[in-house]
Amino acid sequence: MNEQVARNVVLVRSIEYADVAHTVLSDDDRMYATRSARELAAWQAADSHIAVSQHHFLQQRAEQILKRLGERTPAFGAFARRAPGMSGIWIALPFLAFLLGAALDRIADPHRVDLLSAPLLAIVGWNLFVYLGLLVWAIVPAARRGKSGVPLLRRLSVGKAVAPRKLPTALAEGVAHYLADWAVLSEPLTRARLARTFHLAAAGFALGAVASLYARGLLTEYVTGWESTFLDAQQVHTLLSWLFTPALAVFPFLQGFSPAEIEQLRFGGAAGLPVGDRWVHLYGATLLLLVILPRVVLALVAGVRAGRLKRNFPIDLDQPYYRKLADSIGAGTPAVLRVIPYSYTLDEPRDRGLWAIAAAALGGQTRVQLLPPIGYGVELKDALRDTTLKEAGITVTTVLFSLAATPEKENHGALLDYLVKRVPRGVAVLLDESPLLERIGEQVGSERVAERHALWRQFCSFHGTSAHVVNLLQPDKHPLELGAGLALPELR
């Protein structure tokens, strides 16, 4: 799916996650959108003589829901139609850089080409430094571990990250969740666009400097010279020889220079000689070869990557939310829920309840992979020695705790930290309240359950996971449906 379709799908998902009580989207709204999208996707598949596509189904369903919400809440409709991010900067920045390069008064005075021009040397030196940095970034893996969630990237991804006013509470929360999720999901695309823009801006700046040199030469006659307190003619000749070697090699019609000529040009000693155009051509060709062309090539590479990401926006369709929707149209393979109990052994009724919850969360064809319980205080490496945590066929990995237990950093927290580092898709936590209710009673236990749930939710959030209360003896009591499903970190 492309960027716009992905944006709509993620926005609808965030709203459904936030609208747990179904106050914004009723059951009828959701069923109607699903049924209509299923029919439209089936028609598209029949016309194209292909199988029903999950992408088309998600696209049609998101459009149906956004249209209905926009009709009910015009402010939200305007928000949904708004283009994400700050698209104008992608064009404005290179153009502004060209103007700044052309306006550099210090590149050369109206009648002089300085062989040791600080602005021109700085342009070349800075770009060579950038190329070195890009090479290190490409070769050294540690250099690519940049900090995510940079404010600039977030602003470029979502623009003015403010939800419209006067939205229903659930809708406002959904929009807020969407802004946070989209900033994470679109970061690779935003980085590619930002790289393309920076490369074009660097090329535009150098092009502006070259244009300034030649424009001045049309109206004034250049003379040439150089001055230095610390460098002599031989050292300047060596420096300029290295600088202009690419230009002289690629363009054989350009005229070289000798140490004697450099000595003559010191302090403008050869002001009367018509040599200004030679140095303008040398600097222009050098900027073309070392700055403009490489930056344009890098911009094209970044542009191709940005275009590919825009056309095929990366969304992890194995997330529980998408798995459940795919199950409604018979698309995709059956999901697998891997459950790792900690200091908790399931009896037969609770095992049946676990299968029912898995079907509600991931679809009716879901299979449960229940691992042997990990004993309290057992060494984790020994307990999980025979478990392939990076197994490709696993849809969701969950840790099952009893809500009657009190979370402990050195035991429960250690297990969560161990799994979060080793399970690529992330880890969710299931908290079974049934043992706690059996101990204290159903009538008086609601407040205790809420307190314990809040404690576990804060504990799991600290360890990079999300906590969900379930009742394995009453699976329908806390259904993990689309509006309150298993939440996992997005893959990027």
Side-chain angles (χ1 to χ4, degrees):
M1 64 183 70
N2 61 36
E3 179 188 11
Q4 183 59 47
V5 173
R7 175 179 178 264
N8 292 342
V9 170
V10 173
L11 178 56
V12 169
R13 184 193 67 173
S14 299
I15 294 171
E16 291 195 84
Y17 270 153
D19 188 25
V20 178
H22 295 199
T23 58
V24 173
L25 287 171
S26 64
D27 291 330
D28 290 339
D29 292 334
R30 301 177 192 223
M31 287 189 294
Y32 174 80
T34 300
R35 184 172 60 253
S36 300
R38 186 188 304 118
E39 293 174 355
L40 290 172
W43 290 339
Q44 289 179 343
D47 291 340
S48 304
H49 303 287
I50 58 175
V52 176
S53 169
Q54 185 181 6
H55 288 187
H56 289 158
F57 169 71
L58 292 173
Q59 176 184 356
Q60 297 295 339
R61 186 175 184 276
E63 290 177 355
Q64 294 283 340
I65 291 177
L66 292 179
K67 180 180 178 181
R68 178 156 298 191
L69 291 176
E71 292 172 349
R72 294 174 180 171
T73 311
F76 173 79
F79 171 83
R81 291 189 297 271
R82 190 185 74 187
M86 301 169 62
S87 56
I89 194 173
W90 310 128
I91 299 175
L93 192 58
F95 180 72
L96 180 61
F98 174 82
L99 294 180
L100 290 175
L104 282 180
D105 294 331
R106 297 298 297 173
I107 288 182
D109 64 37
H111 300 283
R112 177 184 171 95
V113 174
D114 190 352
L115 298 188
L116 298 180
S117 172
L120 293 178
L121 293 176
I123 293 174
V124 174
W126 167 251
N127 282 273
L128 293 178
F129 177 78
V130 170
Y131 303 153
L132 178 61
L134 293 175
L135 182 62
V136 172
W137 182 88
I139 295 176
V140 182
R144 295 194 291 270
R145 298 172 187 169
K147 182 180 179 181
S148 60
V150 178
L152 173 61
L153 293 176
R154 176 184 174 86
R155 187 64 181 269
L156 292 174
S157 297
V158 302
K160 188 179 180 181
V162 177
R165 297 181 179 180
K166 298 181 180 179
L167 293 182
T169 302
L171 194 55
E173 291 178 358
V175 170
H177 292 161
Y178 155 74
L179 292 174
D181 291 344
W182 188 251
V184 173
L185 285 172
S186 62
E187 184 174 316
L189 176 56
T190 303
R191 286 185 181 275
R193 286 172 170 165
L194 192 60
R196 178 190 60 192
T197 300
F198 279 167
H199 290 312
L200 287 177
F205 188 82
L207 184 62
V210 174
S212 175
L213 277 175
Y214 280 95
R216 286 169 181 260
L218 291 175
L219 303 176
T220 61
E221 182 179 357
Y222 281 129
V223 294
T224 310
W226 64 275
E227 300 176 3
S228 176
T229 303
F230 302 104
L231 300 178
D232 58 27
Q234 184 61 44
Q235 292 171 326
V236 172
H237 178 267
T238 301
L239 173 63
L240 295 179
S241 296
W242 279 98
L243 178 63
F244 295 139
T245 292
L248 292 171
V250 175
F251 303 108
F253 57 84
L254 293 177
Q255 184 179 355
F257 48 90
S258 65
E261 289 178 297
I262 298 298
E263 180 63 40
Q264 282 185 328
L265 294 174
R266 189 169 190 176
F267 304 118
L273 299 178
V275 294
D277 59 337
R278 180 207 303 185
W279 302 101
V280 171
H281 296 325
L282 284 172
Y283 262 116
T286 298
L287 290 176
L288 176 67
L289 293 176
L290 298 185
V291 180
I292 298 174
L293 291 181
R295 288 289 196 165
V296 169
V297 171
L298 290 172
L300 289 175
V301 172
V304 169
R305 182 169 183 267
R308 184 173 65 251
L309 290 173
K310 181 179 180 179
R311 292 187 301 271
N312 300 287
F313 194 90
I315 286 186
D316 179 19
L317 295 181
D318 279 336
Q319 288 277 329
Y321 173 86
Y322 304 117
R323 277 279 191 173
K324 181 67 179 294
L325 288 175
D327 185 72
S328 67
I329 62 172
T333 57
V336 178
L337 178 67
R338 176 166 56 189
V339 181
I340 305 176
Y342 184 79
S343 187
Y344 187 28
T345 301
L346 301 186
D347 53 21
E348 185 176 347
R350 287 185 172 87
D351 182 73
R352 290 196 301 268
L354 181 62
W355 278 83
I357 289 173
L362 299 173
Q365 303 180 39
T366 303
R367 296 186 293 108
V368 176
Q369 184 185 100
L370 182 63
L371 301 186
I374 297 178
Y376 181 83
V378 173
E379 182 65 33
L380 297 178
K381 291 183 179 180
D382 296 335
L384 297 171
R385 180 186 297 111
D386 299 328
T387 303
T388 305
L389 296 178
K390 294 184 179 181
E391 186 176 346
I394 301 299
T395 307
V396 180
T397 297
T398 62
V399 180
L400 178 62
F401 294 124
S402 169
L403 199 61
T406 302
E408 299 175 356
K409 179 180 179 180
E410 60 274 11
N411 292 301
H412 306 88
L415 173 61
L416 295 181
D417 291 341
Y418 183 88
L419 294 175
V420 165
K421 293 179 181 178
R422 292 166 174 81
V423 179
R425 196 175 299 281
V427 177
V429 173
L430 298 179
L431 302 171
D432 183 18
E433 68 174 10
S434 61
L436 180 62
L437 293 179
E438 283 182 344
R439 180 193 303 173
I440 62 179
E442 184 78 32
Q443 299 298 325
V444 299
S446 58
E447 185 175 350
R448 288 281 302 278
V449 168
E451 292 176 354
R452 189 60 62 88
H453 182 205
L455 176 63
W456 271 101
R457 185 169 58 246
Q458 182 179 10
F459 178 82
C460 292
S461 177
F462 178 79
H463 290 280
T465 61
S466 56
H468 310 273
V469 170
V470 296
N471 190 314
L472 296 184
L473 296 180
Q474 303 176 51
D476 296 333
K477 185 177 180 181
H478 304 290
L480 296 179
E481 53 169 6
L482 290 179
L486 294 172
L488 294 176
E490 292 287 0
L491 296 183
R492 285 183 289 169

